[in-house]
Amino acid sequence: MLSSVQNPRILLLHHCRRSKPLHHHHRLRRHHYPKSIHASPLPHPISASLPTSQIQTIQKSILSREKTTRQFAEEFLTRLRTTEPHVKSFLHVSETVLNEADEIDRKIDRNEDVGPLAGVLVAVKDNICTADMPSTAGSKILENYRPPFDATAVRKLKESGAIIVGKTNLDEFGMGSTTEGSAYQVTSNPWNLECVPGGSSGGSAAAVSARQCVVSLGSDTGGSVRQPASFCGVVGLKPTYGRVSRYGLVAYASSLDVIGCFGSSVADAGILLQSICGHDKLDATSSKREVNDFTSQFISKDYFESQPLKGLRVGVISETLGDGVNQEVVSSIRGAISHLEELGCTVTEVSLPSFSLGLPAYYVLASSESSSNLSRYDGVRYGNQTVSDELSSLYGGSRANGFGPEVKRRILMGTYALSAGYYDAYYKRAQQVRTVVQKSFKAALDLHDILISPAAPSAAYKIGEKKNDPLAMYAGDIMTVNVNLAGLPALVLPCGFVKDGSASLPVGFQMIGAAFDEEKLLRVGHIFEQTLQGYSFIPPLIADEFKSSSVKIYQLG
Amino acid sequence: MALTLFRGIHTRPLLPYSSAFSARKHVIFCSMQSTQTETSMKTKQQAPSNFTETARAKAVEKVLKDYEAIIGIETHVQLSTTTKAFCGCAYTYGSQPNSCVCPVCMGLPGALPVLNSKVIKCAVMLGLALNCKLSLSSKFDRKQYFYPDLPKGYQISQFDIPIATNGFIDVDLPLEFGGGHRRFGITRVHMEEDAGKLLHTGSGPYSQVDLNRAGVPLLEIVSEPDMRTGIEAAEYAAELQRVVRYLGVGNGNMQEGSLRCDVNVSIRPIGQLEFGTKVEIKNLNSFSAMSRAIDFEIARQAELYNQGQADEIVQETRLWEEGSQKTFTMRKKEGLADYRYFPEPDLPEVVLTEEYVNGIRESLPELPEMKRRRYEEMGLTMQDILFLANDVNVAEFFDATIAKVPDIKLAANWIMGDIAAYMKNEKLSINEIKLSPQELSELITSIKSGTISGKIGKEILIELMKKGGTVKGLIEEKDLVQIVDPVEIEKIIDKVIANNPKQLEQYRGGKTKLQGFFAGQVMKESKGKANPGLVNKILIEKLNAKS
Amino acid sequence: MGTRALLLLTPAFKSDCNLLNHFTKYGFHQTVRQQEKLFRVGVRKFSVHSSLERPNVARLAETARISLTPQEAEEFAPKIQQVVDWFGQLQDVDLQSIEPAIRPDTEAGSFREDNPEAFDNREAIIAAIPNYEEPYIKVPKVLNKD
C-alpha cells in the first residue's frame, strides 16, 4: 500500500543563496515497498540511513549559517586524518583547506554569491592537472611535477566554489584495476583494509567511501570509475565521451578517456557532474551539445509518485549474468532488477553477442594509444630525468626508471600492435570491433531506456591476488570496457553485498544510457537509491561515527 | 629563343644542356625569382669557377645520353599564419628561443591539440592552385618517432587520407636553359606540424633545443617523380615558391627555412622500365644548389653504373655540401623507418563543404601560370614574361602600370631595363623603390605625348625611384618640358652655330660628323629639352644652307 | 577468489575447439557463430595471427626507448606473449565491410580561429625543465636522426 504524496517541492540547490532558514519538517515517510527477495542481510545493526545529498545539506547549512564552512571542513579533515593511515587514498593533501573554508564563510557573511559547490570538499585523482598541487599520475616519472595550468574540470570546480582537499592515488597512468599499480602506495578498501579499492581511480573511490571528502573526480577509460565505485560501495558516474573536457587529464587512451564523478549519493555525483561538464575550446573532442540541468530532479523521495519509473524499459545484458560472474553478485543484481520492477520498470533480457570481444579490442586500443600518449615522457622537458651523456640512454633510462612494470608492458604491447604489418591485424580490427559494439549498443538502446549489468564480475578481492596476473586483472574489466568503446554514459550505484568472511563487501550495478542521456540515468539512479530499503553503504571503518542519531549530516534536513 | 613545348610525364628530355651553364646572363632573372637576400647569398656561394660548371654540365649532358634521371621532390612550406597549427601561440621567426611556447606545443601532460582553421584554408588554397582533387573528409594521423625537437614523441600529420591529391603544376623553364613548357605531377598535399630546432654547438657534449617552431603549421607537397634534370627540379621548386607567395600562404624563404626541399634522385639506363635505387638529398638551401646537387648525384650514380658498381647505389640520405659541391652520406637507411602511423584520436575529421571550397576557389588570386599565359596573349616575349611574372610584386607593378597606359611593351621595357638596373645596383626590391606604377604610367604618357623627351624621361625616372614625387611635379619644378616649337629650336640652333664658327666651317668643309657635336651643343644649350628629332631636322637644314 | 589466468592460446592448441571456450572462470563465451566459423574453415592448426612474428621484447623496448634490464625482458616476454595471443581472438572474427571507428561519434569541426593567445604561465613551464640553460633546453649531443 502506498501512502499518498504531497505536491512535489523541488529543493532548488543553486537557487538557495540567501540566508533565510528553510522551515521544513522532513520526516521519513514510510513508503511500503515490498522487500527485495534476494537481498543480502544488513551488514550492520544501525538504522538504515538513506543516502542524502551531502552537497545539498552542506549548501543549505552554510547558507543558512546553521553551520560554517569551516566546521564542515574540520569534520572532514579530522576524519581524513584518522582514516588515512589505514586507507591511504591521498598522495597529496592540500594545506589551504581551512583558509579556503574561511574565505567562503566571509563571502557568505558579505552576502556574496558563493557557487553551487561552495563548502564542498572535493578530492581529485592525481592524473588530473592541478596547478597548485603536484600531479604525478601515480608515476615516478612525474614525481613532484607541478603542471603550469589547471585542468578545465578543476578550473570549473574552483569556479563553483569547491574546496579541493587533495590528490588521490591511482594505478600509474590509469593502467590497472586495483590501484596496486601506483608507484607510491597501495590504497585499501575502506570495507576491508586487506582488499583492493578497485582501480584505476581507487583513491578517489576510497576517499568518498571513507567520507574523507564529500565527492571526488576520477577518470574512466575502461571502467576505472565504475569498478572502484562498486568495490567501495559508492556511486560512480561515467559521462558520455565528450561531455566533460579532457584538457588537463593526463592522457591514457585518448579515444576512451573521460573524467568521472564519485559521490556517496546519486545526487552528489550528479551535482558534481553538472559543475564540470560542457564544451571546452581547448578540447577538440568535447561536445558542443547543450547541457541540461539534471540536478533539479534530485527531489526528496517524499515527492515521488507511486511507481515513479513506470514505463521505463530496462534491458539486462544477458551475457553479464552467466558463468564466470560471482553468484552473490548475480543475486545482488537480480535484487536490483526486482527493485526496479517494483518501481514500475519493464525489465527484459537483451543479448549483445559482441560483448566479450570488446575486451581484447579495448586492450589493443588502450595499449596502442597509451604507447603513443606516453612517448612524451622522456625526461627532457619535465619530470624525472635519468642523466646520461648519450641521448638514447637518457630516454631509455628516464623511462625505464620512471615507469612501473605494467606501464612498460602496455607500452611494449601497444608498440607491437601499431608496428608496420601488425596494424591491420590488431589495431584496425579493434577499431572495427568498436564499430560493432557501438552499433549493438545503439540498437539495444533504441529498444530500451537503459541497460543493466554488474559493474564487475566480483566484489573486491585481496591486495596482491591479481598483481602478477595481467590477464586475470584484465578479465575483471569485462563489464565496463564496452561502454567506453561506445562512448556512452553509465552510472554505478551500490545495490547489495557479498559475504567476506564475517563481514561484507559491497556490490554495485551498472546502468548504461544512450549518448548524452545522463539526465535519465541520474533520475533513475536517484529514485532507485532513495527507495532502496534495508541497506546502508557506510563502511565499518567509519560506521561508529554514524551510529549515533545525532549526526545531522546524514539526515534529510 | 624559347621553345614552347608541352611535355608529358615520363618522356625523355628534349633540350640540350650545353649552352645553359656557361652563360650566366640569367643573374637578373634568378634574382627576380628569389628576391631579397637570396640573391646576394647565392652569388656569394657560386664559388665554383665557370670552368667547373661547364665541365659538370658537359658531364651531365653526356650521362643523359645513356641514362634517364628520375627526380622527385618533397617540399615543406611553412604557413605564415599568426598562430601555430594546434595552439594559440603566436610564432615569429627569430624570436627569443623557447618564448613562443605553451602546454600544447611543449607536449605537457594533459594538453590537447585544436586545429587552427586558417591552416585548412591555406591547404585548400594551395590544393586548388596545384589543380588537385580535394578530400572532402580528411583526417590526421600520428607519425611516431623520438627526437628532442619533437615534444610529444609524435608529429601530427596526415598519412593515408591527405587533404589534396593528384594535381599538377605548369612551369616555363628559364630561357638561358633552353626555355620550354613543362607540366609536373603533384602526388599529394597534406597538413602537418613542424618540429622545433635542434642546434649543435660544435664542440661540447650538448645539443640545444628551441621549441618555438614546434607546432608551426606546414604543408607538405610531394611531387610525382616527373623531373628529369636539375634545372627542371629547380624550376619546379621555384614555381612552387611563386605559387606560395602569390597565394600569400607563406613567404617561401629557403634561407629562413620556410621553404624546404628534399630531393629524390635515381637513374636508369635509357629503355629500362625498372626504376633504379633512389637516393635522398637534403640540406639544399637554394634552387641553384638543388640543381647542382642533382647534377652531381646523377653523375655520381652514372659513374657507379659505368664501373659496374650499380649495387653500391643504396637507398640512403645524402647531404649536399655547398663548400665542396658534393653530396655525402648522412646515414644509410636500414630498411624504411616504421612510424607506426595511426589515426589521431584527439582531432575530429576535417570536413569540407562544396560551398566552402567554391568560396575559396573564387577568391584565389591570378596564379603565375595564368599570368604568364595572359602576358603571352598580350604579345610579350617569353623573356619579358618570365621576368615580369616570376615575382608577384613585379607582376603587380606591371599590371598596375598598364592599367593606366596601354603601352605594354614600353612599360615592360622600362621595368626590365632602367628600373631593374637601379634595383640591382641599390639592392632594392620593387616595393622598396619610391616610384609608383601610377607615376611610371604618367612618365610613359608624358614621353609619348612629347611633353618631355626620352632622355629627360630617364633622368626623371632616377629621381622618382630615389625620392618619389610625381612626374608632373618634377617637370614643372625643373622646367623639363620638351621644346617642340621649331621657332624656338631654330633660335637655339642659330645661337649655337653662331658660337661655333670654326666647327661650322669644318662641317661645310666636309666633316659631316660634326653634326653630332652641334646636336650635342644644342641639347646642352636647351638643357636637354629640345626635341631631338626636330633638332636634327632643322640643324641639318641650317648646316647645309649656304652661308 | 583465486583465478586462473586466461588460457595461453598457443598456436599448437588453437585447433582444439573445446579449449577455445575455456577462458577464465568468468567464461567469456565465444559466440556460436565464431565456433561455426572455425568448424567451417576446418581445423586450422595455426590461427592467422601466428603467422605474424612474435613480439620481440628487446626490439620493442628499443623502439619504445625503454631500457629494460635483462631480467625485466625475460620476465615480460611470457606475459606480453600471453596477452598478444589473447589479442589474437580479433583475427577469428569476420569483420569484413565494417568501418573502423576512430572514436565515439563526435561532432566534426571543432576548430580555433587564427588569433593569438599567449600562455600566461611560461615561467612555470621553463621552471619544470630538468636541464635548462637559458634560453635553450639541453640534451646530450645528437648526431643522427634515428
Side-chain angles (χ1 to χ4, degrees):
Chain A
M1 284 307 285
L2 303 168
S3 37
S4 58
V5 292
Q6 294 177 341
N7 288 326
R9 252 188 79 197
I10 298 170
L11 290 172
L12 298 165
L13 335 146
H14 38 279
H15 296 316
C16 285
R17 295 241 173 93
R18 298 296 156 232
S19 57
K20 198 177 63 175
L22 299 160
H23 297 292
H24 297 308
H25 292 292
H26 290 269
R27 292 164 5 237
L28 282 173
R29 284 182 160 272
R30 299 217 155 267
H31 297 295
H32 299 288
Y33 298 106
K35 261 210 172 135
S36 314
I37 314 161
H38 302 287
S40 308
L42 273 175
H44 310 287
I46 57 174
S47 55
S49 49
L50 290 165
T52 61
S53 167
Q54 291 186 61
I55 296 178
Q56 287 178 344
T57 308
I58 291 171
Q59 282 264 301
K60 248 184 336 118
S61 294
I62 63 176
L63 290 169
S64 65
R65 300 196 187 108
E66 189 188 319
K67 204 162 162 177
T68 62
T69 313
R70 190 187 178 98
Q71 283 171 308
F72 277 114
E74 279 169 342
E75 272 173 31
F76 278 99
L77 285 177
T78 308
R79 196 176 307 116
L80 194 161
R81 269 180 236 117
T82 323
T83 54
E84 190 52 11
H86 307 291
V87 182
K88 303 205 258 325
S89 345
F90 284 90
L91 291 175
H92 180 95
V93 178
S94 166
E95 282 156 30
T96 60
V97 173
L98 294 175
N99 290 342
E100 291 173 51
D102 288 339
E103 180 56 32
I104 291 170
D105 285 328
R106 279 194 287 272
K107 276 188 164 164
I108 294 175
D109 285 338
R110 293 195 296 260
N111 274 330
E112 281 171 28
D113 277 348
V114 286
L117 289 182
V120 176
L121 266 62
V122 183
V124 174
K125 187 175 180 184
D126 210 21
N127 64 352
I128 299 174
C129 287
T130 48
D132 40 15
M133 286 184 246
S135 305
T136 66
S139 178
K140 275 285 190 283
I141 209 164
L142 287 178
E143 192 171 18
N144 296 319
Y145 171 69
R146 294 244 169 171
F149 63 96
D150 278 333
T152 299
V154 169
R155 180 178 56 80
K156 289 185 167 215
L157 276 183
K158 288 181 176 173
E159 282 165 11
S160 304
I163 299 173
I164 297 177
V165 66
K167 308 301 290 300
T168 55
N169 198 20
L170 65 155
D171 285 297
E172 194 178 352
F173 286 108
M175 300 186 196
S177 312
T178 62
T179 310
E180 294 168 296
S182 167
Y184 296 99
Q185 64 203 40
V186 177
T187 302
S188 288
N189 192 321
W191 289 85
N192 179 340
L193 297 174
E194 287 168 30
C195 285
V196 298
S200 60
S201 314
S204 283
V208 171
S209 176
R211 308 301 193 263
Q212 297 172 320
C213 59
V214 180
V215 286
S216 65
L217 289 184
S219 70
D220 190 314
T221 305
S224 294
V225 161
R226 293 163 285 152
Q227 181 249 41
S230 176
F231 280 17
C232 291
V234 295
V235 175
L237 175 56
K238 176 208 171 290
T240 314
Y241 183 86
R243 183 113 261 193
V244 178
S245 169
R246 282 184 301 121
Y247 185 78
L249 170 65
V250 176
Y252 160 17
S254 316
S255 69
L256 300 162
D257 290 341
V258 297
I259 291 179
C261 304
F262 289 100
S264 57
S265 63
V266 173
D268 281 349
I271 296 168
L272 180 60
L273 178 67
Q274 184 89 65
S275 72
I276 61 170
C277 60
H279 180 250
D280 182 15
K281 65 179 175 129
L282 296 172
D283 175 357
T285 59
S286 83
S287 170
K288 290 194 177 129
R289 232 187 245 236
E290 209 181 291
V291 180
N292 296 335
D293 170 22
F294 26 81
T295 62
S296 54
Q297 55 191 2
F298 298 137
I299 58 178
S300 161
K301 75 174 185 66
D302 295 352
Y303 307 115
F304 292 169
E305 293 170 4
S306 65
Q307 298 240 305
L309 295 180
K310 185 163 182 149
L312 195 80
R313 304 159 300 164
V314 174
V316 180
I317 303 174
S318 47
E319 284 81 4
T320 63
L321 292 179
D323 294 338
V325 185
N326 176 292
Q327 279 311 301
E328 290 181 272
V329 169
V330 174
S331 28
S332 294
I333 304 304
R334 295 217 186 277
I337 291 170
S338 303
H339 186 60
L340 284 169
E341 284 173 321
E342 287 154 15
L343 291 168
C345 295
T346 323
V347 182
T348 49
E349 257 195 32
V350 60
S351 169
L352 299 176
S354 56
F355 199 76
S356 65
L357 211 52
L359 195 60
Y362 165 81
Y363 272 101
V364 168
L365 294 174
S367 308
S368 303
E369 290 185 19
S370 65
S371 73
S372 174
N373 284 328
L374 268 61
S375 294
R376 65 189 64 194
Y377 302 104
D378 54 16
V380 172
R381 286 147 292 118
Y382 45 81
N384 268 335
Q385 184 188 100
T386 298
V387 180
S388 168
D389 49 12
E390 209 264 300
L391 188 69
S392 281
S393 318
L394 186 132
Y395 283 167
S398 301
R399 290 159 70 76
N401 292 330
F403 291 146
E406 181 62 26
V407 169
K408 285 177 185 164
R409 280 195 295 268
R410 298 233 192 153
I411 291 175
L412 296 178
M413 292 193 294
T415 306
Y416 176 73
L418 290 176
S419 300
Y422 301 82
Y423 179 88
D424 282 353
Y426 296 112
Y427 194 80
K428 184 168 171 215
R429 294 197 138 245
Q431 301 268 47
Q432 288 171 305
V433 170
R434 194 201 314 245
T435 304
V436 172
V437 167
Q438 284 175 359
K439 289 201 169 123
S440 66
F441 267 92
K442 186 154 191 305
L445 285 164
D446 279 342
L447 301 170
H448 301 90
D449 292 295
I450 57 171
L451 303 173
I452 300 266
S453 79
S458 70
Y461 38 84
K462 293 277 193 299
I463 291 172
E465 199 175 300
K466 297 212 186 155
K467 199 164 181 205
N468 288 315
D469 200 346
L471 279 183
M473 181 140 32
Y474 298 171
D477 294 338
I478 183 64
M479 304 298 179
T480 46
V481 294
N482 283 308
V483 176
N484 297 84
L485 287 173
L488 299 174
L491 179 66
V492 165
L493 51 154
C495 65
F497 291 94
V498 148
K499 279 227 241 331
D500 173 43
S502 58
S504 302
L505 290 168
V507 169
F509 81 106
Q510 171 177 232
M511 293 197 288
I512 304 164
F516 298 103
D517 207 3
E518 286 84 359
E519 199 174 341
K520 185 182 288 172
L521 282 178
L522 289 165
R523 183 172 74 90
V524 176
H526 175 68
I527 291 172
F528 179 98
E529 168 197 83
Q530 293 294 303
T531 52
L532 188 67
Q533 294 278 357
Y535 290 95
S536 168
F537 291 102
I538 297 172
L541 184 73
I542 53 169
D544 286 340
E545 192 185 330
F546 300 104
K547 272 199 190 116
S548 84
S549 57
S550 66
V551 176
K552 294 186 188 64
I553 193 172
Y554 285 95
Q555 287 176 358
L556 284 163
Chain B
M1 229 182 53
L3 300 165
T4 312
L5 297 161
F6 180 86
R7 192 176 164 281
I9 310 171
H10 294 312
T11 57
R12 291 161 52 181
L14 299 169
L15 302 168
Y17 254 120
S18 47
S19 51
F21 279 94
S22 35
R24 283 282 168 203
K25 280 184 244 144
H26 70 291
V27 170
I28 289 179
F29 294 80
C30 278
S31 70
M32 286 294 104
Q33 283 174 19
S34 44
T35 69
Q36 295 162 353
T37 54
E38 200 175 319
T39 323
S40 41
M41 281 219 51
K42 253 193 356 205
T43 43
K44 281 193 194 102
Q45 282 170 358
Q46 276 158 13
S49 67
N50 271 350
F51 176 73
T52 326
E53 283 297 315
T54 322
R56 201 214 321 284
K58 283 205 151 59
V60 174
E61 191 196 329
K62 189 153 169 281
V63 165
L64 291 176
K65 287 203 165 74
D66 302 316
Y67 297 98
E68 183 180 27
I70 313 287
I71 302 160
I73 303 183
E74 255 173 49
T75 308
H76 287 91
V77 172
Q78 209 172 67
L79 297 180
S80 52
T81 53
T82 313
T83 59
K84 295 186 177 183
F86 301 112
C87 64
C89 290
Y91 171 71
T92 355
Y93 179 77
S95 303
Q96 175 75 348
N98 292 309
S99 61
C100 324
V101 293
C102 77
V104 178
C105 53
M106 267 291 216
L108 261 46
L112 293 171
V114 181
L115 181 61
N116 178 346
S117 56
K118 189 100 183 284
V119 175
I120 302 174
K121 182 158 184 242
C122 292
V124 172
M125 285 170 77
L126 189 61
L128 290 173
L130 296 177
N131 307 291
C132 292
K133 176 168 175 289
L134 293 174
S135 260
L136 292 183
S137 174
S138 65
K139 65 169 171 58
F140 287 99
D141 300 283
R142 293 190 186 177
K143 179 179 181 180
Q144 311 198 73
Y145 62 94
F146 285 90
Y147 207 60
D149 66 1
L150 196 66
K152 298 188 290 294
Y154 58 85
Q155 176 197 31
I156 299 178
S157 177
Q158 294 189 294
F159 178 53
D160 54 338
I161 310 180
I163 193 164
T165 50
N166 286 333
F168 59 85
I169 192 169
D170 290 313
V171 309
D172 284 298
L173 296 181
L175 291 169
E176 64 279 13
F177 299 122
H181 193 92
R182 293 281 184 281
R183 173 169 287 193
F184 299 125
I186 304 275
T187 314
R188 55 186 277 156
V189 178
H190 72 249
M191 303 179 276
E192 61 183 27
E193 56 174 347
D194 209 347
K197 276 207 187 112
L198 192 58
L199 303 147
H200 307 285
T201 51
S203 63
Y206 284 105
S207 292
Q208 297 166 317
V209 182
D210 169 17
L211 293 178
N212 277 349
R213 206 182 61 175
V216 169
L218 296 176
L219 290 179
E220 180 175 327
I221 304 143
V222 180
S223 80
E224 291 286 329
D226 288 348
M227 283 70 84
R228 294 288 170 268
T229 65
I231 293 303
E232 289 186 2
E235 196 53 36
Y236 164 87
E239 184 70 9
L240 261 189
Q241 184 193 58
R242 240 165 258 141
V243 171
V244 164
R245 287 177 176 176
Y246 264 64
L247 291 174
V249 299
N251 62 22
N253 191 320
M254 277 183 103
Q255 267 65 39
E256 275 177 23
S258 51
L259 183 82
R260 293 168 232 161
C261 291
D262 296 330
V263 176
N264 286 301
V265 183
S266 70
I267 64 173
R268 63 181 174 189
I270 287 178
Q272 181 180 297
L273 281 171
E274 220 178 80
F275 287 116
T277 312
K278 70 176 175 188
V279 171
E280 188 186 23
I281 310 175
K282 281 170 127 56
N283 196 36
L284 301 164
N285 290 323
S286 65
F287 303 132
S288 64
M290 188 189 298
S291 183
R292 280 178 273 122
I294 291 171
D295 286 345
F296 174 86
E297 190 56 27
I298 292 173
R300 181 188 81 88
Q301 292 187 14
E303 184 64 22
L304 288 169
Y305 262 91
N306 290 337
Q307 288 172 4
Q309 289 172 328
D311 49 344
E312 285 202 21
I313 305 171
V314 292
Q315 190 168 357
E316 60 169 338
T317 303
R318 296 175 76 91
L319 292 178
W320 171 251
E321 222 203 54
E322 197 58 40
S324 59
Q325 295 285 298
K326 292 186 176 181
T327 63
F328 288 99
T329 302
M330 173 182 163
R331 61 170 180 268
K332 297 234 190 270
K333 281 192 176 160
E334 300 141 4
L336 291 165
D338 178 10
Y339 292 113
R340 286 168 280 126
Y341 284 100
F342 75 100
E344 170 60 79
D346 288 330
L347 293 169
E349 273 74 37
V350 176
V351 173
L352 306 172
T353 59
E354 291 284 356
E355 210 176 29
Y356 177 80
V357 172
N358 288 333
I360 293 185
R361 198 196 314 264
E362 273 150 38
S363 68
L364 287 181
E366 185 186 39
L367 294 171
E369 169 66 10
M370 295 190 275
K371 214 180 270 291
R372 289 193 293 263
R373 300 286 76 80
R374 177 164 66 89
Y375 288 177
E376 208 171 19
E377 268 165 51
M378 289 195 303
L380 289 166
T381 66
M382 188 48 81
Q383 186 157 341
D384 299 341
I385 293 171
L386 290 180
F387 185 95
L388 293 167
N390 275 354
D391 181 321
V392 59
N393 297 313
V394 172
E396 256 167 41
F397 195 97
F398 175 69
D399 285 337
T401 307
I402 61 173
K404 301 252 180 291
V405 61
D407 227 300
I408 299 166
K409 196 60 191 163
L410 273 181
N413 287 343
W414 278 108
I415 294 176
M416 288 169 59
D418 290 60
I419 298 178
Y422 178 78
M423 283 161 55
K424 178 165 173 261
N425 282 334
E426 304 297 317
K427 296 191 184 9
L428 294 171
S429 73
I430 204 157
N431 289 342
E432 287 165 336
I433 61 172
K434 301 267 194 315
L435 174 73
S436 71
Q438 290 74 13
E439 290 312 312
L440 178 60
S441 60
E442 184 61 39
L443 186 70
I444 294 172
T445 314
S446 303
I447 297 174
K448 253 185 108 166
S449 66
T451 311
I452 50 171
S453 67
K455 189 153 173 286
I456 297 283
K458 284 200 180 207
E459 286 167 22
I460 300 181
L461 182 73
I462 309 265
E463 177 101 10
L464 289 169
M465 290 195 287
K466 244 192 212 143
K467 300 190 193 143
T470 60
V471 172
K472 287 205 163 79
L474 281 173
I475 290 176
E476 221 176 272
E477 190 190 310
K478 302 201 176 172
D479 184 28
L480 300 170
V481 177
Q482 194 172 214
I483 304 172
V484 293
D485 182 4
V487 173
E488 280 291 318
I489 292 180
E490 207 182 317
K491 278 197 196 138
I492 301 171
I493 292 176
D494 286 337
K495 190 172 171 204
V496 163
I497 290 178
N499 286 340
N500 296 285
K502 191 158 164 240
Q503 285 81 353
L504 177 63
E505 220 182 286
Q506 286 176 320
Y507 179 89
R508 287 189 176 152
K511 269 198 173 160
T512 51
K513 270 194 185 153
L514 282 172
Q515 180 189 347
F517 166 75
F518 282 105
Q521 290 299 310
V522 171
M523 291 312 276
K524 201 163 140 204
E525 187 65 31
S526 70
K527 296 195 182 69
K529 292 190 285 182
N531 178 288
L534 278 176
V535 166
N536 279 323
K537 179 161 163 267
I538 299 172
L539 186 62
I540 289 175
E541 273 173 31
K542 293 266 168 183
L543 287 173
N544 291 335
K546 294 282 186 238
S547 159
Chain C
M1 231 161 287
T3 56
R4 283 292 300 137
L6 286 173
L7 186 74
L8 280 160
L9 296 172
T10 57
F13 287 109
K14 209 52 165 96
S15 56
D16 189 330
C17 297
N18 284 339
L19 285 168
L20 270 171
N21 283 330
H22 192 123
F23 294 84
T24 60
K25 282 184 185 171
Y26 306 131
F28 307 132
H29 318 291
Q30 289 270 16
T31 62
V32 172
R33 189 169 58 98
Q34 289 167 18
Q35 280 179 310
E36 280 173 4
K37 183 179 200 273
L38 252 103
F39 281 121
R40 264 205 312 279
V41 165
V43 177
R44 278 181 296 166
K45 287 262 184 277
F46 303 99
S47 56
V48 173
H49 59 273
S50 68
S51 65
L52 295 166
E53 213 182 280
R54 293 164 144 252
N56 178 333
V57 172
R59 206 152 47 87
L60 290 172
E62 206 190 294
T63 308
R65 299 295 189 277
I66 302 177
S67 303
L68 291 181
T69 63
Q71 297 98 288
E72 272 179 315
E74 212 182 287
E75 217 180 279
F76 287 179
K79 287 186 175 158
I80 291 176
Q81 186 61 57
Q82 198 186 45
V83 176
V84 167
D85 283 339
W86 175 64
F87 285 168
Q89 294 172 62
L90 295 174
Q91 268 94 39
D92 298 331
V93 187
D94 180 14
L95 293 169
Q96 242 182 5
S97 77
I98 295 182
E99 274 303 296
I102 296 173
R103 72 182 75 76
D105 266 323
T106 329
E107 308 120 30
S110 206
F111 306 121
R112 302 181 5 249
E113 294 302 310
D114 190 25
N115 297 324
E117 273 167 46
F119 181 68
D120 59 4
N121 199 0
R122 180 186 159 269
E123 305 72 41
I125 296 182
I126 304 293
I129 300 173
N131 199 347
Y132 181 72
E133 205 175 81
E134 179 96 31
Y136 293 107
I137 302 168
K138 271 167 85 166
V139 293
K141 188 99 184 232
V142 181
L143 299 164
N144 270 328
K145 195 179 234 163
D146 282 309

